[in-house]
Amino acid sequence: MDESLLIKNLTLIKSVADRADVKIIMALKGFSMFSVFPLIRQYVPGTTASSINEARLAAEEFGGEVHGYAPAYLEDEFEQWKGYCGHITFNSLNQYERYKSRLSSDDKSIDYGLRINPEYTEVSTDLYNPCIPGSRLGVRSSDLGDNLPEGITGVHFHSLCESNSYALENTLNAVEKHFDAILKQCTWINLGGGHLITQKDYDVEHLIKVLKTFKAKYPHLEVIMEPGAAFAWETGYLVSTVQDVFDSDGIQAAVMDVSISAHMPDCIEMPYTPKILGVELAKTGEKRTRIGGTSCLAGDYVGDYHFPDGLHIGDNLVFNDMMHYTMVKTTFFNGVKHPNIAIWHINDELEIVKTFTYEEFKGKLS
Ligand SMILES: Cc1ncc(COP(=O)(O)O)c(C=O)c1O
């Protein structure tokens, strides 16, 4: 984690919140590196949690406001959620019905919400599209009708993924079209995550215009946004070392000391090919080197890159943009060793904040 890059992102996020007069909180599912929470807390008032563990981490390590949303609250965890959160959003009318009698009047300090399905998205990868037919995420307007259920004060939607402000604008138009009557009865709306505000091509001025236009139409609403990836976008690296290289059917196969599957699973799930500093992807006809991981999964590789002088045992490769959706998704598959986690501080000091032990691997098993 490069602290100066994180501060750059935080400064931009805070300036958007201030200028557009919206609340921006951080989604822990995308980035939960709690050693930098005290720094992030200086810029944003809180976090959003998607499980009881994240809610506890948020309350204990981040402080400030904790917002909760999960596709289902478990019977024996709901009281704990109430202890940690100031906002709790239900995913379905069934979930609301199940817990409605437990929204007791002494809960005045908690705002309850309902996740809605805007039935509009510009996300083309099904894995990240909550509006696909048959989606389990959020209530459709045809099922909700025009009346906000008793005890609910706000709505939440999430249908963007690494999206720009124009996708948000179109989504808000869909939300207004389907849920105008509901919005008039709410006191707050949460626009979810997927706003890649800190990406270099993101049109921040347009975002502020979109938010101000929406607020002018619904001046009674508090507007909340909960990006995750945008906070840690391009703020850090995964440093790896080549352990072996050899020819495999004319392709140079490389085995690293990290695993794509265990340490950067989104590269396989999304899928996407990460940038390696100073290295280009192989073009047609060029010599190719396939960067593979240390696990025995055949598909544990990221793609074919071009090294004009070949790659050698002992070379270091630095994967770029390895903060969001990496640490939070890692696994101990194959019992692989996990990289240390370190912060490169603004005073140029490198602090190792975490090293992994055998006990942590064993502790996940029984
Ligand atoms: C409900 C909800 N809020 C916020 C986020 C954070 O999205 P991102 O990290 O893409 O900004 C997600 C991501 O899946 C989500 O499901």
Side-chain angles (χ1 to χ4, degrees):
M1 160 59 67
D2 183 329
E3 195 175 48
S4 65
L5 297 175
L6 180 62
I7 291 173
K8 196 170 138 221
N9 283 356
L10 293 170
T11 306
L12 177 61
I13 288 169
K14 181 168 168 23
S15 82
V16 169
D18 291 345
R19 289 179 59 202
D21 191 22
V22 299
K23 181 179 284 178
I24 304 186
I25 55 178
M26 183 172 77
L28 291 192
K29 73 189 84 193
F31 184 64
S32 290
M33 184 176 165
F34 56 87
S35 47
V36 289
F37 281 3
L39 172 64
I40 300 173
R41 179 74 180 88
Q42 294 171 32
Y43 294 82
V44 294
T47 52
T48 183
S50 45
S51 64
I52 197 68
N53 286 335
E54 281 187 358
R56 180 173 170 183
L57 190 73
E60 291 182 359
E61 299 294 334
F62 199 97
E65 293 181 26
V66 182
H67 295 226
Y69 159 74
Y73 295 109
L74 308 188
E75 190 70 39
D76 58 347
E77 288 180 356
F78 192 65
E79 292 309 309
Q80 279 175 275
W81 279 97
K82 284 165 66 178
Y84 293 131
C85 296
H87 278 71
I88 294 183
T89 294
F90 296 106
N91 180 59
S92 69
L93 290 170
N94 280 346
Q95 278 274 300
Y96 161 71
E97 288 296 334
R98 185 167 180 185
Y99 292 108
K100 150 171 113 169
S101 64
R102 288 160 69 175
L103 319 185
S104 47
S105 52
D106 59 339
D107 280 355
K108 284 273 179 276
S109 58
I110 302 179
D111 281 307
Y112 291 97
L114 197 60
R115 177 164 174 170
I116 54 174
N117 178 347
E119 293 177 67
Y120 177 88
T121 182
E122 297 186 15
V123 176
S124 52
T125 309
D126 278 359
L127 185 65
Y128 296 112
N129 181 357
C131 300
I132 46 168
S135 170
R136 70 187 189 295
L137 303 170
V139 185
R140 288 180 169 75
S141 63
S142 53
D143 295 321
L144 182 56
D146 283 343
N147 293 317
L148 195 64
E150 198 192 337
I152 299 291
T153 55
V155 288
H156 172 290
F157 70 83
H158 171 79
S159 59
L160 302 175
C161 176
E162 298 192 357
S163 304
N164 61 28
S165 56
Y166 298 89
L168 173 64
E169 186 174 36
N170 296 338
T171 309
L172 282 174
N173 287 337
V175 169
E176 288 170 33
K177 187 171 133 212
H178 293 305
F179 296 97
D180 179 63
I182 292 289
L183 293 182
K184 291 193 168 118
Q185 299 159 61
C186 291
T187 58
W188 57 276
I189 180 169
N190 184 325
L191 314 184
H195 319 276
L196 204 47
I197 301 170
T198 49
Q199 200 253 349
K200 66 175 178 11
D201 296 328
Y202 194 98
D203 190 342
V204 169
E205 296 307 316
H206 180 252
L207 170 67
I208 292 170
K209 210 171 99 200
V210 168
L211 292 169
K212 283 188 171 165
T213 306
F214 180 78
K215 282 173 66 87
K217 281 189 213 154
Y218 300 96
H220 60 289
L221 287 181
E222 181 189 26
V223 176
I224 303 161
M225 299 168 81
E226 51 173 37
F231 279 84
W233 184 257
E234 294 194 334
T235 56
Y237 312 93
L238 177 54
V239 181
S240 61
T241 307
V242 180
Q243 301 301 307
D244 198 4
V245 279
F246 48 86
D247 182 80
S248 173
D249 291 330
I251 294 173
Q252 185 185 37
V255 182
M256 310 301 299
D257 60 350
V258 293
S259 160
I260 290 79
S261 162
H263 301 136
M264 30 181 150
D266 246 14
C267 295
I268 294 174
E269 285 182 16
M270 182 86 164
Y272 79 95
T273 310
K275 285 203 175 100
I276 299 179
L277 292 192
V279 182
E280 298 291 331
L281 287 174
K283 300 191 186 73
T284 317
E286 279 183 340
K287 269 199 306 184
R288 346 174 58 79
T289 300
R290 186 162 295 171
I291 304 300
T294 182
S295 87
C296 62
L297 177 74
D300 188 2
Y301 65 87
V302 263
D304 294 354
Y305 298 78
H306 178 59
F307 296 87
D309 302 322
L311 192 63
H312 305 98
I313 294 171
D315 285 351
N316 281 335
L317 293 186
V318 180
F319 293 93
N320 195 18
D321 196 17
M322 283 294 152
M323 284 291 130
H324 58 95
Y325 293 102
T326 50
M327 287 178 226
V328 289
K329 282 192 137 189
T330 53
T331 74
F332 275 116
F333 176 56
N334 267 217
V336 291
K337 185 171 152 52
H338 277 255
N340 296 340
I341 298 177
I343 305 174
W344 203 296
H345 287 290
I346 41 175
N347 64 3
D348 231 14
E349 263 171 36
L350 185 74
E351 182 193 4
I352 308 260
V353 290
K354 173 81 184 156
T355 54
F356 290 86
T357 62
Y358 166 72
E359 280 66 33
E360 281 156 305
F361 159 65
K362 189 181 172 195
K364 276 193 75 193
L365 304 166
S366 62

